[in-house]
Amino acid sequence: MRLIVLVFAFRFLLLRIVSPFKTAEPSTCHSQHKVGVRRETAKRPSSSVEQDGDGEGWKLKIAIVGAGPSGLLLAHRLIASGLPLEQLDVFESRADPRSSSSSLEGRAYALGLGIRGRTAIKTVDGELWSSVKARGYECERFRLHLSQKLSLQLRGREDGVHPSVLIYQSDLCSALLDELERRAKALETALNVRFNSNITMANLETSTLSFVSDGVTQESKKYDLLVGCDGANSIVRESIKVYSPPDTFECTKRELLPGCFKVARITSMPPALDAASVALILPKTKSLGITAFVEPTVDGGGCVLFAGRLNSESTSSTDSAELGTILYPDPSIGGREQSSMSDEEVEMIRRLLVEEFPLDGTAGLDDAVRQLLRQRTSVASSVRCNTYNSKSGLTAAAICGDAAHATGGVSGQGANSALVDVATLADCLVKHYQPDDSYSPEAKESMLHQSVLAYSMKAVPEGRALYDLSFGNDGRTLPIFRNLRNLLSTAIDGVFGGRFGIGKKPLQTLLASSLDSFVTIRRSRERYYIDPFPSNEEIESDLNYLYSKLP
């Protein structure tokens, strides 16, 4: 089990730091050769249509659930699209990340924005990407620390490769929010971002949202379109499931136990580590079952992710054996209150961390320990859905990112693929929502459903392929000779990576360093799978059959 955890951990970190520079931004068309995102240039309705009596009816009231990176990027795209917006509301259960009172929990970790995420953000414009990039730290170096004194550089600067940008989720959201508010004001768009508003239900019959704000349950106005960017525990996804006919909408969600993690910020990189390199650090006590990932961040700071296992039983007789029990209580137990942490307890945990990992002399390590104790133990989840939109006859709704296809960090493409999703959805809305001079509610509803259906047809195959690439055969085993051949091939690819004409680029590099679609990459690795990935025709046929069952 420890080896499996280490392999996934290594793969996760490697995926976050590679991304080649490309200026092309290919179309989101259904071709399985390249996946990318672009701004549609479809002709928008004239201003006279939008302003006259009939034109008022075409104006859209849209709600986005979730003000994470994907929800905020979608808001950017909608404002910049030229769509006739009457109201754009964004709901977020957490506080404004720019406020001093905002909790770091859920936003403490650093994301790796690679070629896919960068391309998606640039579909708004290069200025927005520059604003995001300025908040992050470019990094392409990666070191493996086998002990406190022995380390290996596994990746350095490569010709033709542009580094990923490591950025805290809170900083990414803050950059997107600042620009969103500025641009909405300049364009006189009716934008309302509601923080501390916890959505409890999305009613697809009444087109409303129920939410709790300041302890009071409220009901929203009616919306024309609901979009769920609300993560693996999506309320919008559950509502689509509830309102779908039997045997149509299928979704599988599972916790990736026993793996768990906690994250802390530090004010400076540990002196014993390369301050410009991501580090994967094995503990001194190999039976401990905890691995540390250290990422450099902007302004010389760092982010440390401690990955472990719930209910792990260490075979060590040292004091360090207590570390896992202290750091990873049951996820149902909330984080500790500051008042319950004694200086002696903080000092003990600090001492254990320094004994196991090269963190001695790290500025702010005591505060990092308190951050760890305040956090609830996090357990990643996987999500797999067979469609990403609601049926006709109900409010048009769509789900994006982890709400539709979570991989629990295994692929390292969660944030990047979510940003691509919302850019694709925006493209589909611009293409299919084409008002004319004669308004009718039926035509408006039909165009919105056509938009979310087109998005689903494009995004579902990508989500399915990413799931396969993340989890392989999902617990099933290939015949022994095929398995041995694949293990050997993977080892050769990992060592040579296609250099000197030996092997091919590893899966990690393919996912992180190209705009090839996930479907294309999955099909190129057919020999690793028990079941073949369906053809474009089979995918389209399956989805058309599904949608024929949705009245």
Side-chain angles (χ1 to χ4, degrees):
M1 174 62 72
R2 184 163 61 249
L3 178 60
I4 294 174
V5 171
L6 178 59
V7 168
F8 276 118
F10 175 79
R11 177 176 169 185
F12 171 77
L13 254 291
L14 192 60
L15 282 167
R16 293 163 70 98
I17 60 173
V18 187
S19 181
F21 175 74
K22 294 187 179 182
T23 56
E25 295 176 356
S27 165
T28 52
C29 65
H30 199 49
S31 166
Q32 304 299 343
H33 298 295
K34 293 283 182 182
V35 60
V37 283
R38 63 178 172 87
R39 289 275 302 278
E40 287 280 358
T41 56
K43 183 179 179 182
R44 302 284 355 129
S46 66
S47 58
S48 61
V49 173
E50 294 182 15
Q51 297 301 323
D52 63 22
D54 287 341
E56 290 295 317
W58 289 116
K59 289 188 175 181
L60 294 170
K61 296 183 286 291
I62 300 176
I64 300 171
V65 182
S70 61
L72 294 173
L73 180 62
L74 178 59
H76 270 281
R77 283 297 310 270
L78 293 174
I79 287 176
S81 67
L83 289 165
L85 294 176
E86 178 178 337
Q87 181 67 43
L88 178 58
D89 292 338
V90 185
F91 293 84
E92 173 56 51
S93 61
R94 295 168 294 186
D96 188 329
R98 300 166 297 184
S99 67
S100 59
S101 61
S102 179
S103 170
L104 290 180
E105 185 165 358
R107 289 192 178 116
Y109 56 91
L111 301 170
L113 294 179
I115 182 67
R116 298 174 195 269
R118 180 169 67 249
T119 304
I121 293 173
K122 282 186 174 181
T123 62
V124 177
D125 56 41
E127 182 183 357
L128 181 60
W129 169 247
S130 296
S131 299
V132 168
K133 182 181 175 182
R135 304 281 187 106
Y137 180 84
E138 288 188 303
C139 182
E140 71 284 335
R141 294 158 66 177
F142 180 46
R143 297 191 71 90
L144 171 63
H145 291 255
L146 300 172
S147 70
Q148 300 236 16
K149 295 183 179 180
L150 177 62
S151 68
L152 303 172
Q153 179 168 306
L154 299 183
R155 185 173 298 279
R157 185 80 184 191
E158 297 181 28
D159 293 337
V161 174
H162 194 284
S164 289
V165 172
L166 303 179
I167 182 171
Y168 285 121
Q169 191 195 46
S170 57
D171 289 341
L172 172 57
C173 291
S174 295
L176 292 172
L177 275 165
D178 287 344
E179 282 295 306
L180 181 64
E181 291 174 348
R182 181 182 68 82
R183 295 173 187 222
K185 182 178 180 180
L187 294 172
E188 299 182 345
T189 301
L191 169 71
N192 185 17
V193 183
R194 303 184 61 119
F195 293 104
N196 299 306
S197 298
N198 186 32
I199 300 295
T200 57
M201 184 178 71
N203 191 320
L204 301 187
E205 291 181 336
T206 64
S207 307
T208 59
L209 296 170
S210 298
F211 62 97
V212 178
S213 181
D214 296 326
V216 179
T217 300
Q218 304 178 48
E219 185 168 303
S220 73
K221 67 188 74 175
K222 291 186 177 182
Y223 294 103
D224 301 305
L225 173 64
L226 302 175
V227 183
C229 298
D230 47 345
N233 297 314
S234 172
I235 295 296
V236 177
R237 182 187 67 233
E238 290 307 304
S239 296
I240 292 176
K241 181 178 181 180
V242 167
Y243 287 101
S244 294
D247 302 321
T248 54
F249 184 82
E250 298 177 358
C251 179
T252 302
K253 177 179 178 291
R254 64 179 182 179
E255 292 185 330
L256 302 178
L257 297 171
C260 59
F261 64 93
K262 284 189 175 182
V263 184
R265 297 186 180 190
I266 50 180
T267 55
S268 66
M269 286 290 285
L273 303 182
D274 180 355
S277 176
V278 173
L280 167 60
I281 310 173
L282 304 185
K284 177 182 177 182
T285 306
K286 297 301 184 285
S287 60
L288 183 62
I290 299 176
T291 304
F293 304 94
V294 183
E295 297 179 331
T297 56
V298 70
D299 296 330
C303 173
V304 187
L305 183 150
F306 292 98
R309 300 194 305 275
L310 288 174
N311 303 318
S312 60
E313 296 183 1
S314 174
T315 59
S316 171
S317 60
T318 67
D319 291 341
S320 295
E322 302 177 22
L323 194 56
T325 303
I326 297 171
L327 288 183
Y328 305 116
D330 190 281
S332 63
I333 301 174
R336 298 267 299 278
E337 294 294 332
Q338 184 79 24
S339 59
S340 70
M341 306 174 201
S342 68
D343 292 341
E344 292 76 14
E345 181 182 23
V346 170
E347 173 58 29
M348 180 195 70
I349 297 172
R350 179 190 179 285
R351 175 177 58 80
L352 294 177
L353 289 175
V354 169
E355 286 179 359
E356 293 296 331
F357 304 101
L359 302 176
D360 195 20
T362 303
L365 191 55
D366 284 357
D367 181 64
V369 170
R370 291 186 172 88
Q371 292 177 47
L372 295 173
L373 293 177
R374 285 197 299 266
Q375 288 178 42
R376 183 190 302 272
T377 301
S378 296
V379 177
S381 298
S382 69
V383 172
R384 183 177 185 179
C385 302
N386 65 337
T387 184
Y388 301 165
N389 66 288
S390 62
K391 74 182 185 73
S392 60
L394 296 171
T395 308
I399 50 176
C400 303
D402 281 356
H405 51 77
T407 57
V410 174
S411 68
Q413 292 298 307
N416 292 283
S417 62
L419 294 172
V420 171
D421 277 355
V422 297
T424 301
L425 175 58
D427 285 346
C428 291
L429 283 164
V430 171
K431 180 177 181 180
H432 295 286
Y433 192 74
Q434 294 286 333
D436 55 28
D437 293 332
S438 179
Y439 168 74
S440 77
E442 294 78 15
K444 180 179 185 179
E445 179 181 337
S446 176
M447 285 190 284
L448 286 172
H449 276 285
Q450 187 178 8
S451 300
V452 296
L453 174 60
Y455 157 72
S456 198
M457 293 285 283
K458 293 178 181 181
V460 167
E462 285 293 285
R464 179 173 175 178
L466 181 59
Y467 188 94
D468 280 4
L469 293 167
S470 301
F471 298 109
N473 290 299
D474 217 7
R476 295 183 296 167
T477 305
L478 286 166
I480 185 169
F481 290 111
R482 282 184 65 189
N483 201 35
L484 289 173
R485 184 187 66 178
N486 290 339
L487 288 173
L488 178 61
S489 177
T490 299
I492 293 173
D493 293 345
V495 172
F496 295 99
R499 293 185 294 271
F500 315 114
I502 303 174
K504 299 179 180 178
K505 288 185 178 181
L507 174 61
Q508 293 89 343
T509 303
L510 290 173
L511 289 175
S513 67
S514 78
L515 286 173
D516 288 344
S517 71
F518 294 136
V519 169
T520 296
I521 296 173
R522 165 63 177 84
R523 286 182 178 146
S524 72
R525 300 176 60 82
E526 202 69 76
R527 69 177 184 272
Y528 292 94
Y529 294 88
I530 294 173
D531 300 323
F533 198 79
S535 66
N536 292 354
E537 293 75 16
E538 289 171 326
I539 292 173
E540 186 172 353
S541 176
D542 289 346
L543 289 174
N544 283 332
Y545 174 73
L546 171 64
Y547 297 135
S548 71
K549 298 166 65 177
L550 299 175

